[in-house]
Amino acid sequence: MKSSKLSNLTSTSENNNIIFDELLNKEQNSAATWEGGHVLILAGAGCGKTKTIIARAQFLIEYITTAERVQILTFTRKSASEIVERVKNKLGDKANNLKASTFHTWCMSLIRKSPDLFGCRGFSVIDRDDQLTLLRLTRSSSDKAKNPLIPRPSDLCDIYSYGRNVGCSLRQAIELKAPESIDEFDEIAKIIRSYEDKKEARKYLDYDDILDVVATQFNNYPKILDWVSSNFTDLLIDEFQDTNPLQWKLISPLIPKLRLFCVGDDAQSIYGFRGADFESIHKFKEKVEGSTVLKLSVNYRSTQEILDLSNWLLNKSNLNYEKNLISDRGPGIVPRIETFTNEWEEASWIIDNLKENRSEGDRWDQNMILCRTAYSARAVEGALIESKIPYKFIGGRKLFESAHVKDVLSALRIIANPQDDLGWMRYLPLWGGVGDKTASDALSQISKNDSLDRCIEILKSYPKISKEALSILREGAKGQTTEECFKTCADGLYKVLENKYKNKNWEQRLKDFDVIERLSQTTTSILEFLEAYILEPIYLTEALPKGNEDDVVTVITIHSAKGAECKRCYVINVSPGSYPLTRALSSGANIEEERRVLYVALTRAKDELIVTRSGGFSAASSSSKIKIDDQMYERYFLSDVKDELFTNNDHRLNNDSDGIDGSHSDSFPKPSTKIDLG
């Protein structure tokens, strides 16, 4: 596949390696210009993974293939758009047809391009809230609905999704996620079977169906696989360590057909609870025959002192990460470990430190506070509010998952597909007087009508259904663009929503609609708009225009922080029972994932790393008397950290409190998307 264009490149004096981009180091350059088949780029934190995958795309387009034959897969819409934008900045029009998308968006595009091949003509996508509605209906009809051992709809959804993503049976998923409910397996299986039947009857695809349908057809029908692979020569996958068995089921049939270029970091594999398979990256060469692993080891983010502590953490593992990152920036400030009696003292000190740095000229946005869970940041968040320090929290509910947004989008869903029962079930009750029974009866009458006008005429006969509600739908459908449709529906629903949320931050919620309106301008149809944001819901902060971010402190969960960086990072509550979490102590695999969580947190810092902790244990020595469970402390990651790796400050020395313990064309049938009920 080597092109004659390669002769236009210059060569280095040593080893005759191609110099593709002067901004790349030797490791990155070798990776970007690799021509030896499937390859994994194993890169440490801050080593330029995104830069390398961008360079790879540029190299392929310039010298090997064309932009339309390169497909990049990422885990977020934001990273996909960033990669394409940066390649286009380098190549201009040559990169116009470059495709980058999430796994789900790519699979959905294939389904929409040829729905008959995937057996999905006329199907609509539903999100998690829709799943919960369906599961709530099926669970409520169970004879054992009041039995506390029958998981709640949200837990049923998690069990079901986990089983499908890791490829295990429903029984195995229950044993792993809800072992206390295993005796009720038969009833749970009955509920799940009913849920799957309802999906089929209403032509719904849930989030996992989208991957499962495409992956199953790839494996069952070589003709479909050939059709897809004929359009591409190269598949570039970012954050490969986060892939799960269902995604691997999608990728593996393509291995003989396409060239894989995977980028990731085994030390940042932290989504095992969602089904991510650590082995997919850690044993890549075993899983992909004839493949090569190349490494990036030069870190451009952090000082060497920060990396020394991070390297030490990985080296204490029984797993062989073979990672010893070297800073391009050289030496800096030694990390600090600050120890307090309790979380309130911890929070108070952080506030004082923020104010001190502010007084010396720092901006608020030069500070990031990383927390293990949203709950563990409550004390800090309360202190920020009390001190009137501006902040944003990342890791909570996303913009398109907000109730008031979903209320308006339910109208758009109906306009796009009058057969969308879940859209009707959310929309009609907004107006009052319509309960589940009335809505269910009404929907049964329109079930065979795909005309919005006809559905509206039928619903007018129901006195409890608001005529204004129906009028808004009719007017919204007249919109020539997605933006016009959204504005009409949002304006029509204003008074209804204002009344619903009048005591629930309505003024703040109202501002969200301006953001949604702006986003609606980016798609050409209502269906495209709905699918785009159902598949990848975004945070409000992600939707704001670049350059308009406020000068605020960032509080962020570690699982939301991959790729993030900041001048000064506070990693809070790094106490026994939190690193690792107490519930992880029973499993070596879980403990190792917890280690990687802490590694991700430590490697976000550029210049200054501050680790804070609280509880009744000695910060100076593991041999000191402690007031927590011995096993917990023994497995505590920082129990034996070397003195030369950090500066220790124990703020409890003058405190008499005892402290706390730190716990806290051809038509193919749609494949079955049912979970194994065995």
Side-chain angles (χ1 to χ4, degrees):
M1 301 182 75
K2 189 171 181 178
S3 169
S4 60
K5 292 182 181 178
L6 292 175
S7 61
N8 297 327
L9 298 175
T10 59
S11 300
T12 64
S13 58
E14 58 181 33
N15 298 329
N16 199 39
N17 289 330
I18 295 168
I19 298 176
F20 175 62
D21 189 330
E22 293 181 353
L23 298 178
L24 302 177
N25 66 31
K26 186 177 180 180
E27 291 176 338
Q28 294 167 338
N29 186 83
S30 296
T33 59
W34 180 256
E35 293 187 84
H38 308 305
V39 61
L40 167 67
I41 310 305
L42 199 60
C47 291
K49 290 189 290 295
T50 301
K51 183 180 182 179
T52 303
I53 202 168
I54 290 167
R56 176 62 175 182
Q58 183 187 353
F59 175 77
L60 289 172
I61 296 168
E62 285 264 54
Y63 301 103
I64 303 297
T65 187
T66 55
E68 63 268 17
R69 295 179 65 79
V70 177
Q71 175 65 52
I72 303 171
L73 296 179
T74 70
F75 280 83
T76 67
R77 174 192 301 277
K78 186 178 181 181
S79 60
S81 64
E82 178 188 350
I83 290 171
V84 171
E85 183 180 349
R86 289 172 62 178
V87 175
K88 285 183 176 180
N89 286 340
K90 289 178 175 288
L91 297 182
D93 293 344
K94 282 186 180 180
N96 279 344
N97 294 320
L98 177 64
K99 307 174 187 68
S101 56
T102 65
F103 283 83
H104 291 84
T105 300
W106 183 55
C107 288
M108 199 67 230
S109 71
L110 296 176
I111 292 173
R112 289 300 178 208
K113 191 175 293 184
S114 190
D116 290 332
L117 286 181
F118 297 97
C120 292
R121 181 168 295 280
F123 277 72
S124 300
V125 179
I126 61 175
D127 64 9
R128 181 177 170 86
D129 277 0
D130 296 330
Q131 285 184 272
L132 294 179
T133 299
L134 282 181
L135 283 167
R136 187 165 59 249
L137 290 171
T138 56
R139 189 188 184 284
S140 63
S141 63
S142 168
D143 295 334
K144 297 185 176 182
K146 295 183 179 181
N147 185 341
L149 292 179
I150 303 296
R152 299 172 301 174
S154 59
D155 294 327
L156 283 171
C157 189
D158 290 342
I159 292 167
Y160 178 67
S161 182
Y162 181 83
R164 298 184 66 193
N165 277 281
V166 304
C168 69
S169 68
L170 179 63
R171 182 180 294 277
Q172 292 170 320
I174 296 171
E175 289 173 342
L176 286 167
K177 293 295 182 179
E180 69 281 358
S181 299
I182 194 62
D183 289 342
E184 299 297 333
F185 170 76
D186 289 342
E187 191 64 24
I188 296 171
K190 182 180 175 182
I191 293 170
I192 295 299
R193 189 178 293 109
S194 177
Y195 165 76
E196 292 183 327
D197 290 344
K198 282 183 168 62
K199 280 196 303 177
E200 285 288 333
R202 292 161 174 77
K203 290 192 169 184
Y204 289 144
L205 293 174
D206 66 28
Y207 200 62
D208 298 321
D209 288 334
I210 296 166
L211 295 190
D212 204 357
V213 162
V214 176
T216 301
Q217 300 296 71
F218 278 3
N219 284 276
N220 289 346
Y221 297 102
K223 189 174 182 178
I224 298 177
L225 185 64
D226 290 341
W227 170 70
V228 173
S229 61
S230 67
N231 292 291
F232 305 101
T233 58
D234 290 83
L235 187 64
L236 283 57
I237 305 176
D238 196 15
E239 302 290 358
F240 189 73
Q241 75 279 350
D242 294 335
T243 55
N244 60 39
L246 178 55
Q247 289 159 336
W248 184 251
K249 180 182 175 183
L250 174 75
I251 297 166
S252 58
L254 295 168
I255 292 175
K257 304 285 187 176
L258 308 176
R259 184 166 41 199
L260 286 186
F261 184 90
C262 304
V263 178
D265 183 1
D266 52 352
Q268 295 189 67
S269 178
I270 61 174
Y271 289 104
F273 65 96
R274 292 184 188 170
D277 184 8
F278 174 71
E279 299 292 319
S280 66
I281 186 168
H282 204 60
K283 296 184 178 180
F284 182 84
K285 290 188 69 174
E286 297 176 23
K287 300 192 70 167
V288 182
E289 187 176 352
S291 61
T292 300
V293 176
L294 303 178
K295 295 183 179 181
L296 307 182
S297 58
V298 180
N299 177 288
Y300 294 89
R301 175 186 299 153
S302 307
T303 60
Q304 190 60 52
E305 284 79 0
I306 293 171
L307 296 182
D308 286 343
L309 181 59
S310 306
N311 290 335
W312 170 88
L313 179 67
L314 291 185
N315 290 333
K316 294 292 292 183
S317 171
N318 292 325
L319 298 175
N320 185 9
Y321 290 100
E322 296 183 351
K323 207 177 299 299
N324 190 43
L325 301 186
I326 301 170
S327 174
D328 180 70
R329 300 179 56 201
I333 303 171
V334 175
R336 296 153 61 184
I337 298 182
E338 310 282 346
T339 307
F340 305 89
T341 300
N342 56 56
E343 60 183 337
W344 305 108
E345 290 182 2
E346 182 180 28
S348 179
W349 182 89
I350 290 172
I351 297 301
D352 289 343
N353 194 251
L354 287 169
K355 289 179 176 178
E356 180 183 348
N357 293 321
R358 179 76 170 183
S359 69
E360 295 175 358
D362 272 8
R363 290 169 54 90
W364 294 123
D365 63 7
Q366 291 178 308
N367 301 276
M368 178 181 288
I369 300 172
L370 295 113
C371 52
R372 182 66 181 81
T373 63
Y375 180 82
S376 66
R378 284 183 178 175
V380 169
E381 198 171 1
L384 288 166
I385 294 170
E386 186 178 5
S387 303
K388 295 181 172 57
I389 295 177
Y391 76 98
K392 62 182 177 182
F393 190 95
I394 301 176
R397 181 170 286 273
K398 297 180 179 179
L399 178 61
F400 277 77
E401 293 176 348
S402 301
H404 58 293
V405 173
K406 294 176 77 69
D407 288 340
V408 178
L409 294 186
S410 67
L412 271 68
R413 290 176 59 167
I414 293 168
I415 293 169
N417 177 19
Q419 291 292 292
D420 191 336
D421 287 359
L422 293 174
W424 285 108
M425 289 291 288
R426 186 173 192 110
Y427 183 75
L428 293 177
L430 291 174
W431 303 84
V434 179
D436 287 347
K437 187 176 186 310
T438 300
S440 181
D441 289 345
L443 294 180
S444 67
Q445 297 301 310
I446 64 173
S447 61
K448 296 182 180 180
N449 290 278
D450 55 9
S451 164
L452 179 61
D453 284 336
R454 180 57 183 156
C455 289
I456 290 173
E457 291 303 314
I458 294 172
L459 295 176
K460 281 183 176 179
S461 64
Y462 286 80
K464 291 184 178 181
I465 294 179
S466 166
K467 302 300 185 291
E468 184 182 0
L470 300 176
S471 176
I472 289 170
L473 293 175
R474 181 163 277 162
E475 289 302 310
K478 295 178 181 178
Q480 297 298 305
T481 64
T482 305
E483 181 185 8
E484 289 179 6
C485 180
F486 175 79
K487 288 177 67 175
T488 299
C489 294
D491 290 346
L493 285 164
Y494 182 92
K495 291 183 179 179
V496 172
L497 297 181
E498 182 183 33
N499 183 63
K500 181 179 178 180
Y501 298 105
K502 60 184 177 182
N503 296 319
K504 300 178 180 178
N505 302 317
W506 168 242
E507 292 301 322
Q508 182 60 47
R509 291 173 184 265
L510 190 59
K511 296 177 183 178
D512 293 349
F513 294 131
D514 293 333
V515 179
I516 305 295
E517 184 180 331
R518 188 162 61 247
L519 292 172
S520 71
Q521 301 168 3
T522 64
T523 55
T524 58
S525 72
I526 298 172
L527 187 62
E528 181 187 353
F529 173 72
L530 292 170
E531 285 183 353
Y533 295 106
I534 285 175
L535 292 178
E536 288 96 32
I538 61 174
Y539 292 102
L540 175 59
T541 51
E542 293 177 354
L544 296 174
K546 291 182 178 179
N548 286 7
E549 296 87 357
D550 293 329
D551 180 19
V552 300
V553 176
T554 296
V555 183
I556 188 169
T557 61
I558 298 170
H559 283 90
S560 301
K562 287 204 309 183
E565 60 183 34
C566 198
K567 174 184 175 181
R568 181 181 300 104
C569 287
Y570 302 83
V571 186
I572 66 172
N573 193 32
V574 186
S575 307
S578 295
Y579 294 91
L581 288 172
T582 305
R583 65 171 180 260
L585 293 175
S586 61
S587 167
N590 289 342
I591 288 176
E592 285 307 311
E593 179 156 314
E594 292 290 306
R595 184 188 305 277
R596 297 192 291 269
V597 169
L598 181 56
Y599 173 82
V600 169
L602 299 180
T603 53
R604 299 310 93 193
K606 297 167 68 176
D607 296 339
E608 191 172 355
L609 173 63
I610 302 169
V611 175
T612 66
R613 57 187 182 180
S614 60
F617 63 95
S618 171
S621 171
S622 63
S623 63
S624 302
K625 184 178 180 180
I626 58 176
K627 300 176 181 179
I628 57 175
D629 180 80
D630 286 341
Q631 184 195 12
M632 190 184 299
Y633 193 86
E634 182 182 349
R635 304 309 296 266
Y636 174 51
F637 295 136
L638 300 185
S639 62
D640 57 351
V641 60
K642 297 178 180 179
D643 290 343
E644 62 264 27
L645 294 176
F646 69 99
T647 299
N648 170 55
N649 296 302
D650 194 335
H651 300 269
R652 304 166 304 159
L653 298 178
N654 298 316
N655 195 319
D656 295 330
S657 172
D658 289 334
I660 58 176
D661 66 7
S663 299
H664 307 219
S665 52
D666 283 334
S667 186
F668 290 90
K670 175 179 165 290
S672 172
T673 57
K674 303 180 188 303
I675 191 171
D676 178 6
L677 297 176

mmCIF file of all heavy atoms in Angstrom, residues 89 114 126 230 240 255 269 291 420 444 520 577:
data_model
loop_
_atom_site.group_PDB
_atom_site.id
_atom_site.type_symbol
_atom_site.label_atom_id
_atom_site.label_comp_id
_atom_site.label_asym_id
_atom_site.label_seq_id
_atom_site.Cartn_x
_atom_site.Cartn_y
_atom_site.Cartn_z
ATOM 1 N N ASN A 89 -7.374 21.473 9.452
ATOM 2 C CA ASN A 89 -6.520 22.656 9.574
ATOM 3 C C ASN A 89 -5.161 22.433 8.920
ATOM 4 O O ASN A 89 -4.532 23.363 8.421
ATOM 5 C CB ASN A 89 -6.327 23.028 11.041
ATOM 6 C CG ASN A 89 -7.563 23.659 11.645
ATOM 7 O OD1 ASN A 89 -8.431 24.166 10.947
ATOM 8 N ND2 ASN A 89 -7.661 23.638 12.975
ATOM 9 N N SER A 114 -28.376 1.880 4.977
ATOM 10 C CA SER A 114 -28.980 0.697 4.373
ATOM 11 C C SER A 114 -29.760 -0.092 5.425
ATOM 12 O O SER A 114 -29.309 -1.149 5.884
ATOM 13 C CB SER A 114 -27.902 -0.177 3.715
ATOM 14 O OG SER A 114 -28.491 -1.184 2.950
ATOM 15 N N ILE A 126 -34.066 4.849 21.136
ATOM 16 C CA ILE A 126 -34.529 5.313 22.442
ATOM 17 C C ILE A 126 -33.340 5.472 23.380
ATOM 18 O O ILE A 126 -32.329 4.778 23.249
ATOM 19 C CB ILE A 126 -35.570 4.368 23.071
ATOM 20 C CG1 ILE A 126 -34.985 2.968 23.302
ATOM 21 C CG2 ILE A 126 -36.802 4.294 22.183
ATOM 22 C CD1 ILE A 126 -35.940 2.018 24.049
ATOM 23 N N SER A 230 -15.536 -2.427 1.957
ATOM 24 C CA SER A 230 -15.158 -1.914 0.642
ATOM 25 C C SER A 230 -15.066 -0.391 0.624
ATOM 26 O O SER A 230 -14.471 0.192 -0.281
ATOM 27 C CB SER A 230 -16.154 -2.381 -0.421
ATOM 28 O OG SER A 230 -17.435 -1.786 -0.203
ATOM 29 N N PHE A 240 -8.411 3.054 23.068
ATOM 30 C CA PHE A 240 -8.713 1.647 22.843
ATOM 31 C C PHE A 240 -8.893 0.870 24.142
ATOM 32 O O PHE A 240 -9.588 -0.150 24.176
ATOM 33 C CB PHE A 240 -7.604 1.009 22.001
ATOM 34 C CG PHE A 240 -7.908 -0.377 21.541
ATOM 35 C CD1 PHE A 240 -8.842 -0.607 20.547
ATOM 36 C CD2 PHE A 240 -7.267 -1.468 22.104
ATOM 37 C CE1 PHE A 240 -9.142 -1.896 20.129
ATOM 38 C CE2 PHE A 240 -7.547 -2.756 21.688
ATOM 39 C CZ PHE A 240 -8.493 -2.980 20.697
ATOM 40 N N ILE A 255 -10.944 -7.055 11.064
ATOM 41 C CA ILE A 255 -9.479 -7.176 11.131
ATOM 42 C C ILE A 255 -8.880 -7.719 9.825
ATOM 43 O O ILE A 255 -7.872 -7.196 9.341
ATOM 44 C CB ILE A 255 -9.062 -8.031 12.344
ATOM 45 C CG1 ILE A 255 -9.379 -7.275 13.641
ATOM 46 C CG2 ILE A 255 -7.584 -8.386 12.293
ATOM 47 C CD1 ILE A 255 -9.125 -8.067 14.904
ATOM 48 N N SER A 269 -7.134 2.315 31.872
ATOM 49 C CA SER A 269 -8.332 1.500 31.690
ATOM 50 C C SER A 269 -9.126 1.498 32.994
ATOM 51 O O SER A 269 -8.820 0.750 33.924
ATOM 52 C CB SER A 269 -7.937 0.072 31.295
ATOM 53 O OG SER A 269 -9.068 -0.753 31.166
ATOM 54 N N SER A 291 0.122 -8.387 14.722
ATOM 55 C CA SER A 291 0.125 -6.966 15.059
ATOM 56 C C SER A 291 1.416 -6.565 15.772
ATOM 57 O O SER A 291 2.199 -7.408 16.215
ATOM 58 C CB SER A 291 -1.075 -6.626 15.950
ATOM 59 O OG SER A 291 -1.028 -7.346 17.173
ATOM 60 N N ASP A 420 -44.101 7.106 17.807
ATOM 61 C CA ASP A 420 -43.208 7.053 18.964
ATOM 62 C C ASP A 420 -44.035 7.109 20.253
ATOM 63 O O ASP A 420 -44.322 8.178 20.791
ATOM 64 C CB ASP A 420 -42.209 8.210 18.914
ATOM 65 C CG ASP A 420 -41.083 8.065 19.930
ATOM 66 O OD1 ASP A 420 -41.278 7.377 20.950
ATOM 67 O OD2 ASP A 420 -40.013 8.654 19.718
ATOM 68 N N SER A 444 -53.404 3.439 21.770
ATOM 69 C CA SER A 444 -53.873 2.229 21.099
ATOM 70 C C SER A 444 -54.739 2.571 19.883
ATOM 71 O O SER A 444 -54.814 1.799 18.924
ATOM 72 C CB SER A 444 -54.661 1.349 22.076
ATOM 73 O OG SER A 444 -55.884 1.979 22.455
ATOM 74 N N SER A 520 -29.392 22.975 17.302
ATOM 75 C CA SER A 520 -30.352 22.516 16.289
ATOM 76 C C SER A 520 -30.006 23.029 14.900
ATOM 77 O O SER A 520 -30.487 22.503 13.901
ATOM 78 C CB SER A 520 -31.773 22.946 16.664
ATOM 79 O OG SER A 520 -31.948 24.359 16.526
ATOM 80 N N GLY A 577 -9.979 3.147 52.100
ATOM 81 C CA GLY A 577 -11.408 2.962 51.862
ATOM 82 C C GLY A 577 -11.891 3.655 50.615
ATOM 83 O O GLY A 577 -12.966 3.343 50.093
#
